[in-house]
Amino acid sequence: MDIYTLLSQTQRQRVSDGAVTSLLSGCESSPRQLVLIWPQLGDFDSLEYAWWLKREAELLQAKGIAIRAIGIGNRTSGQRFCDYTGFPPDSLFVDPTAELHRTLNLYPGLSLKFPGLSPGINAWLNLMLMCAGMGSPGTLAEVFRGYRGDKKAPQLIGDEEIVQAPPLPPLKGSFFNLAGGQGFQRPFELATLRLRNMAEVLRNWKSYVPDSAYLTQRGATFLFNNQGELLYEHRDPGILGFAANPSNPLSFLTDRE
């Protein structure tokens, strides 16, 4: 069975109304269909991906791209995620046990077994090792990019925008100009956005992560045309690996024109 057929036949709970329906319901006739398989909804990758989608909303609309996403969690996780990120709840589905991720053979993450520990604690320890780069290629480089800046990436925070990222004090976007200028991703800019995401998740951990057994599971991106033909595919190799081009995660939408 090809990926499009599998996704069209997969039914999960939709966050907006709690209905169990096809992942692709309502978007079959769209010129392009962007399907995102996210890890835990409290994961760095899920939150950052949603931020980019909101940033590029006009581009997505202009190209007639319908978006469907499914993340690990329950409906409460999904509602919290949408409230925080602005992602539309009628486009988000939840998979409490990462069943679809396994069906698609996505990378489950590091899975070392520590005797005598629960699956949740095992997952936590494996997640920490992945954050340190073990079994998660590219993660450390991407963490460092968030601190040192990236002149190939756009400016992420507007000069007049105020960022709340506890424990830091509120920061105005123009503050980052002191680290090197403007018009590109300045040093510490991305790291600050990631700190904001981390603070949000830690404050609401039980909502975002109802079952920690799936903390290490990674996701994928699939882009289809209205004939169900696969135009683009990216399978996440590790933490912060949700994009082939980290400097501009949605560049694949225009690279193929």
Side-chain angles (χ1 to χ4, degrees):
M1 185 184 300
D2 63 80
I3 295 175
Y4 185 84
T5 301
L6 171 63
L7 293 172
S8 66
Q9 294 180 1
T10 297
Q11 295 193 347
R12 290 294 186 275
Q13 186 179 40
R14 185 166 52 206
V15 170
S16 60
D17 57 5
V20 176
T21 186
S22 166
L23 298 182
L24 302 184
S25 176
C27 70
E28 297 89 346
S29 61
S30 300
R32 296 286 187 273
Q33 298 164 41
L34 179 60
V35 182
L36 311 171
I37 315 298
W38 281 336
Q40 288 276 356
L41 289 173
D43 193 279
F44 278 122
D45 296 44
S46 307
L47 295 162
E48 203 163 309
Y49 211 140
W51 184 91
W52 278 100
L53 292 170
K54 184 177 181 179
R55 175 189 175 94
E56 301 295 341
E58 290 186 5
L59 170 68
L60 293 161
Q61 185 175 12
K63 293 184 175 299
I65 298 174
I67 304 172
R68 293 293 182 272
I70 179 168
I72 303 171
N74 55 28
R75 192 181 176 203
T76 298
S77 311
Q79 290 169 329
R80 182 80 207 184
F81 180 89
C82 292
D83 288 344
Y84 175 66
T85 64
F87 190 81
D90 57 346
S91 296
L92 180 61
F93 294 76
V94 288
D95 188 337
T97 61
E99 180 182 356
L100 180 59
H101 300 67
R102 291 191 295 275
T103 300
L104 290 167
N105 197 32
L106 302 183
Y107 180 43
L110 198 63
S111 55
L112 300 177
K113 303 297 183 185
F114 300 93
L117 300 181
S118 68
I121 298 299
N122 263 286
W124 256 112
L125 292 174
N126 279 295
L127 181 70
M128 293 301 101
L129 292 173
M130 289 179 70
C131 288
M134 185 180 296
S136 189
T139 295
L140 288 180
E142 181 57 18
V143 169
F144 293 142
R145 189 179 72 89
Y147 287 100
R148 73 170 185 271
D150 182 355
K151 291 194 174 181
K152 295 180 181 178
Q155 181 172 323
L156 304 181
I157 303 171
D159 286 347
E160 299 304 315
E161 184 180 349
I162 303 296
V163 179
Q164 304 277 354
L168 298 177
L171 297 175
K172 193 174 182 180
S174 57
F175 168 82
F176 296 95
N177 294 344
L178 300 174
Q182 58 187 154
F184 62 93
Q185 181 191 308
R186 287 77 58 86
F188 301 103
E189 192 176 15
L190 179 56
T192 301
L193 293 179
R194 288 172 174 167
L195 178 61
R196 180 176 66 180
N197 289 341
M198 184 173 68
E200 161 69 13
V201 172
L202 291 178
R203 284 196 303 266
N204 303 282
W205 180 257
K206 288 296 184 181
S207 295
Y208 279 107
V209 187
D211 188 343
S212 58
Y214 308 102
L215 284 173
T216 60
Q217 177 66 58
R218 298 297 93 199
T221 295
F222 302 104
L223 179 67
F224 304 95
N225 64 17
N226 58 2
Q227 302 299 313
E229 296 170 330
L230 183 62
L231 304 177
Y232 175 81
E233 173 181 356
H234 175 76
R235 293 170 179 256
D236 307 352
I239 295 172
L240 297 178
F242 67 89
N245 178 7
S247 299
N248 190 348
L250 299 181
S251 60
F252 66 90
L253 296 175
T254 54
D255 288 346
R256 282 154 181 77
E257 294 181 343

